[in-house]
Amino acid sequence: KQEVTQIPAALSVPEGENLVLNCSFTDSAIYNLQWFRQDPGKGLTSLLLIQSSQREQTSGRLNASLDKSSGRSTLYIAASQPGDSATYLCAVSLNQAGTALIFGKGTTLSVSS
Amino acid sequence: GAVVSQHPSRVICKSGTSVKIECRSLDFQATTMFWYRQFPKQSLMLMATSNEGSKATYEQGVEKDKFLINHASLTLSTLTVTSAHPEDSSFYICSANGRALYGYTFGSGTRLTVV
């Protein structure tokens, strides 16, 4: 059974710091991995999608890497801002379109000004 | 982009009543939709997979007679919580996965409170 773990569970940093969020999964036979952001009481916003054949994706200050063989992904946030404060969720899908995502418990990030 | 609209965003109902939550894909056809629930400070737990024109597939431990799912068209799936009880209070969120899309798009969620 696929399990997704995110470390740390919570993180507090001052504005401007670069930071790394970690995600690990037990079954390397994934189809893709997706990072989401969730604000309190809100839905999910997709940040980055990495296909199983890819090693990284970048969007603005965000960079996500994927090492499928070791079952790990990292989300790198450069020059953090207070507006980045949210919960970041990592999720994997096992097969082609049609199967659900399996989520980690998330990392709650707080960036202070 | 791919947009999923979920309504209502918040609902309070009395114990024993039923509540319907709608999930619509606005600019794409969603052959498959997923329903999740999320308890405070917990991750999203898959409840069921809904395929257009067929019965939903429920995860272990989810009562199919209590959580009725209908996916009658390529753009609409509904979740009805029947005979709701306070323990059903949670955040429910849908996700759609269309034919031509990579990745998953989520609705904005529904906060259900049963009193």
Side-chain angles (χ1 to χ4, degrees), chain A residues 5-62:
Chain A
T5 303
Q6 291 187 246
I7 295 174
L11 182 63
S12 293
V13 300
E15 182 177 8
E17 274 204 9
N18 302 323
L19 54 100
V20 175
L21 307 182
N22 297 291
C23 173
S24 61
F25 44 95
T26 54
D27 186 345
S28 63
I30 63 169
Y31 182 64
N32 60 40
L33 182 145
Q34 201 162 353
W35 282 93
F36 295 88
R37 168 186 173 137
Q38 185 178 29
D39 292 289
K42 304 293 184 182
L44 275 64
T45 300
S46 179
L47 297 174
L48 290 165
L49 168 70
I50 310 178
Q51 302 288 351
S52 61
S53 59
Q54 298 173 326
R55 293 192 65 85
E56 68 175 344
Q57 284 287 336
T58 298
S59 175
R61 294 183 294 109
L62 305 179

Side-chain angles (χ1 to χ4, degrees), chain A residues 53-90:
Chain A
S53 59
Q54 298 173 326
R55 293 192 65 85
E56 68 175 344
Q57 284 287 336
T58 298
S59 175
R61 294 183 294 109
L62 305 179
N63 175 276
S65 66
L66 173 64
D67 184 342
K68 208 173 80 160
S69 62
S70 67
R72 295 179 185 277
S73 175
T74 60
L75 177 66
Y76 175 81
I77 302 177
S80 58
Q81 302 171 358
D84 294 331
S85 298
T87 295
Y88 291 81
L89 294 164
C90 168

Side-chain angles (χ1 to χ4, degrees), chain B residues 4-109:
Chain B
V4 172
S5 175
Q6 184 173 343
H7 294 282
S9 59
R10 190 179 296 267
V11 58
I12 301 172
C13 71
K14 291 184 178 180
S15 185
T17 61
S18 296
V19 174
K20 179 184 284 188
I21 302 170
E22 290 190 350
C23 180
R24 292 181 184 273
S25 57
L26 297 186
D27 51 2
F28 68 100
Q29 293 181 329
T31 54
T32 305
M33 289 187 176
F34 306 95
W35 287 95
Y36 296 82
R37 66 188 297 180
Q38 184 180 34
F39 292 107
K41 298 189 184 301
Q42 297 295 316
S43 190
L44 278 73
M45 299 300 298
L46 179 67
M47 297 176 65
T49 300
S50 165
N51 294 299
E52 183 264 336
S54 64
K55 291 184 179 180
T57 303
Y58 290 81
E59 295 299 299
Q60 190 173 11
V62 177
E63 300 174 57
K64 63 179 180 180
D65 294 330
K66 181 172 186 58
F67 298 100
L68 301 179
I69 291 173
N70 184 281
H71 193 161
S73 77
L74 284 169
T75 59
L76 175 64
S77 177
T78 60
L79 168 67
T80 301
V81 182
T82 62
S83 187
H85 288 95
E87 57 265 32
D88 298 324
S89 298
S90 188
F91 187 67
Y92 294 86
I93 190 165
C94 65
S95 172
N97 186 17
R99 290 193 181 100
L101 290 178
Y102 295 107
Y104 298 74
T105 302
F106 283 79
S108 54

